[in-house]
């Protein structure tokens, strides 16, 4: 199975922005339109990165963050929080936060930084 980046975003118009911004990566982009679909993907696959909108239908971004903490296999998965609400910035693991409206260059820069080998 190829490495995936899971993008949990209910605004499907933003999917094109993500596709454009991340076109340089070899990883498969997997999109989930709500938190429930994200949980279904996470039952089957372990992403190398998750970009997570916080305001989602069915299962919220906050509930997904808690799910990542509870599931050992997912606990070390890098997560980037994306939101138009600054108050969600404090929930972003390691400060990885994208402010909406999204700019492709901001997405590219932050994703490249988060995925860069450490050391």
């Amino acid at each position: 199975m190829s490495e995936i980046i899971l993008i949990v975003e209910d605004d499907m118009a933003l999917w094109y922005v993500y596709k454009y911004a991340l076109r340089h990566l070899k990883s498969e982009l997997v999109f989930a339109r709500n938190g429930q679909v994200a949980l279904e993907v996470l039952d089957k696959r372990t992403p190398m990165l998750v970009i997570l909108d916080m305001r989602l239908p069915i299962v919220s971004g906050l509930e997904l963050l808690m799910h990542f903490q509870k599931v050992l296999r997912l606990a070390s998965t890098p997560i980037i929080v994306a939101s138009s609400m600054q108050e969600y910035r404090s929930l972003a693991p390691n400060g990885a936060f994208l402010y909406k409206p999204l700019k492709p260059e901001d997405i590219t820069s932050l994703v490249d930084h988060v995925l860069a080998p450490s050391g």
Side-chain angles (χ1 to χ4, degrees), residues 2-14:
S2 65
E3 291 186 324
I4 68 165
I5 295 175
L6 176 60
I7 301 170
V8 189
E9 174 60 62
D10 61 326
D11 182 347
M12 292 171 54
L14 291 178

Side-chain angles (χ1 to χ4, degrees), residues 19-36:
K19 285 180 183 180
Y20 176 78
L22 302 176
R23 69 192 182 282
H24 67 291
L25 298 175
K26 304 282 189 256
S27 304
E28 176 187 356
L29 303 181
V30 175
F31 292 90
R33 68 184 178 279
N34 62 54
Q36 182 61 45

Side-chain angles (χ1 to χ4, degrees), residues 9 17 36 41 48 51 74 77 79 98 100-101 107 118-119:
E9 174 60 62
V17 177
Q36 182 61 45
V41 171
M48 62 184 285
I51 301 175
L74 301 172
T77 303
I79 300 170
L98 284 169
K100 292 180 179 182
I107 297 168
S118 57

Side-chain angles (χ1 to χ4, degrees), residues 14 76 89:
L14 291 178
S76 63
R89 180 179 291 276

